Amino acid sequence: TYGDHSSGTSSSCYAYANAGTTMAMPSTSGYGTTADDDDDGDGFDDADEDTCGTDSLNGSDAPTDTDGDGACDAGVDDDDDGDGVDDADEEAGCSLLTDCDGDGYGDATDSHDNDASENSDMDGDGIGDNSDTDMDGDGYLDDGYDAFPEDGTEWADNDGDGLGDNSD
């Protein structure tokens, strides 16, 4: 066989060979053809295998693909763990974890993916809401001075109707 489970008969090849001519090899023969992009039939593009350092002619030498998305980790997949955060943007040591700090919030939605005490930053100031004294960023401190600490457009309700003065 040619390494691709073909019997080597002319019916298993793409072209019939006559005496004295060269027989065309099946594209998955393991002998390197340009008829397809995956000569060894392992599911990874030959060019990607070259980038990832595996043998594109050996189906048992497949590259690492941590998240199973069909793109090998080394130099091809920008998000090896498939958590929605590019490896370049992940905290050090977290590139293969979907919840680096183990707080139950995936890194793709966790504003502080390396701090288990924080998972959101409503006003985007870089201070987690649990530590932020003005989590909505409206300029009014949350501890009694802001009637609506989770609404950056409201801070007072002078008539006590539950609606902020700005929308009353």
Side-chain angles (χ1 to χ4, degrees):
T1 66
Y2 292 109
D4 65 352
H5 309 293
S6 86
S7 65
T9 64
S10 61
S11 62
S12 67
C13 296
Y14 288 107
Y16 292 102
N18 295 322
T21 63
T22 303
M23 186 168 83
M25 299 300 284
S27 64
T28 57
S29 67
Y31 290 103
T33 66
T34 57
D36 72 15
D37 294 327
D38 181 15
D39 289 329
D40 60 9
D42 64 0
F44 291 93
D45 184 273
D46 295 338
D48 288 351
E49 284 201 71
D50 289 342
T51 300
C52 292
T54 56
D55 186 349
S56 64
L57 298 177
N58 180 349
S60 64
D61 186 23
T64 301
D65 179 17
T66 302
D67 58 7
D69 65 355
C72 55
D73 293 352
V76 176
D77 194 347
D78 292 331
D79 180 17
D80 294 343
D81 57 10
D83 66 356
V85 179
D86 283 352
D87 297 336
D89 296 330
E90 300 224 44
E91 299 284 340
C94 292
S95 65
L96 296 178
L97 300 172
T98 56
D99 181 13
C100 185
D101 57 16
D103 63 359
Y105 295 89
D107 292 345
T109 59
D110 190 338
S111 65
H112 295 76
D113 60 1
N114 208 17
D115 180 351
S117 70
E118 298 285 355
N119 59 57
S120 63
D121 180 12
M122 185 182 303
D123 60 4
D125 63 357
I127 302 169
D129 292 340
N130 294 333
S131 304
D132 197 341
T133 57
D134 180 20
M135 70 180 170
D136 62 7
D138 60 6
Y140 293 87
L141 299 180
D142 296 338
D143 60 355
Y145 297 103
D146 191 344
F148 304 93
E150 295 183 7
D151 183 348
T153 65
E154 298 286 354
W155 46 88
D157 180 17
N158 289 313
D159 61 10
D161 64 358
L163 297 174
D165 290 347
N166 292 333
S167 59
D168 258 350

